[in-house]
Amino acid sequence: MECQTIKNGDLVEVWKPVVGAEDKYMVSNLGNVKSLMRKVISDGHLKTVPEKMLSLCKGTNYLTVRLRSFRGRCELVHRLVAEAFIPNPQNKPQVNHIDGNKLNNKVNNLEWVTFSENNKHAFRTGLKSTLGEKHTRHKLTSQQVIEIRNKRGLYSQVELAEKYNVSRANISAIQTRRSWYCINENGKS
């Protein structure tokens, strides 16, 4: 199957077959997915199923699409785009969204990366952080941190630790600003 091109306003949408399902689906450089026209037997009759744009679903932060009889799961749209349009000579395992927007699956926003490269990009762009509520393992909210600081001297560290379900050492670090130092009394970083 060859590449199909359609012009939409100023954007040129280029279609290529989905790798591994070349006879059933196509993906575009703009992140759209469609099923191809095909013939199926239904109730003993030969029926033509027309070409159809597929609905994209928001999975866990990423857009996905269900491709019937293909790997048996929802597929990540950005991976389908990358597999069809972006060479991967170093066989890198992950696809990165360059602008950090996980819903922007245009080919010019995607690149193949290693786990390490993807992680570094996430920290560099602020998608991941070791500070405050952006920390992947935070247990407290910024508001709770402010409350803990405001209750210094009114309650013991042990009492605060029990109330907020953290260790006494955590309470001490918050009150002395060794942790959550990015949060001021207004709750702003």
Side-chain angles (χ1 to χ4, degrees), residues 55-123:
S55 298
L56 305 182
C57 306
K58 189 167 184 232
T60 53
N61 300 322
Y62 296 97
L63 290 175
T64 62
V65 65
R66 167 125 2 234
L67 304 182
R68 294 191 185 276
S69 68
F70 179 65
R71 295 187 213 168
R73 63 178 193 258
C74 286
E75 299 295 322
L76 294 166
V77 174
H78 65 281
R79 283 200 68 88
L80 297 177
V81 173
E83 288 170 351
F85 289 92
I86 305 171
N88 189 9
Q90 295 176 329
N91 202 27
K92 293 184 176 184
Q94 295 185 350
V95 179
N96 180 46
H97 290 83
I98 296 167
D99 70 359
N101 178 356
K102 296 174 183 178
L103 303 179
N104 180 358
N105 293 316
K106 294 178 182 170
V107 71
N108 61 354
N109 185 49
L110 303 175
E111 64 183 346
W112 288 103
V113 292
T114 64
F115 173 80
S116 175
E117 291 167 335
N118 208 11
N119 216 26
K120 286 176 185 171
H121 176 266
F123 277 102

Side-chain angles (χ1 to χ4, degrees), residues 14-75:
V14 178
W15 292 89
K16 287 189 177 182
V18 168
V19 175
E22 290 83 353
D23 58 334
K24 293 182 179 140
Y25 301 100
M26 293 189 92
V27 63
S28 83
N29 61 322
L30 301 180
N32 295 312
V33 183
K34 66 182 176 180
S35 63
L36 298 175
M37 184 183 73
R38 61 196 181 284
K39 303 226 184 260
V40 297
I41 297 176
S42 176
D43 297 326
H45 296 86
L46 188 61
K47 179 181 168 185
T48 300
V49 178
E51 181 178 283
K52 175 182 158 189
M53 291 293 284
L54 300 180
S55 298
L56 305 182
C57 306
K58 189 167 184 232
T60 53
N61 300 322
Y62 296 97
L63 290 175
T64 62
V65 65
R66 167 125 2 234
L67 304 182
R68 294 191 185 276
S69 68
F70 179 65
R71 295 187 213 168
R73 63 178 193 258
C74 286
E75 299 295 322

Side-chain angles (χ1 to χ4, degrees), residues 11 25 40 57 65 92 110 129-130 144 148 168 177:
L11 299 174
Y25 301 100
V40 297
C57 306
V65 65
K92 293 184 176 184
L110 303 175
S129 174
T130 57
Q144 289 172 317
I148 290 167
R168 189 214 52 82
R177 297 185 186 276

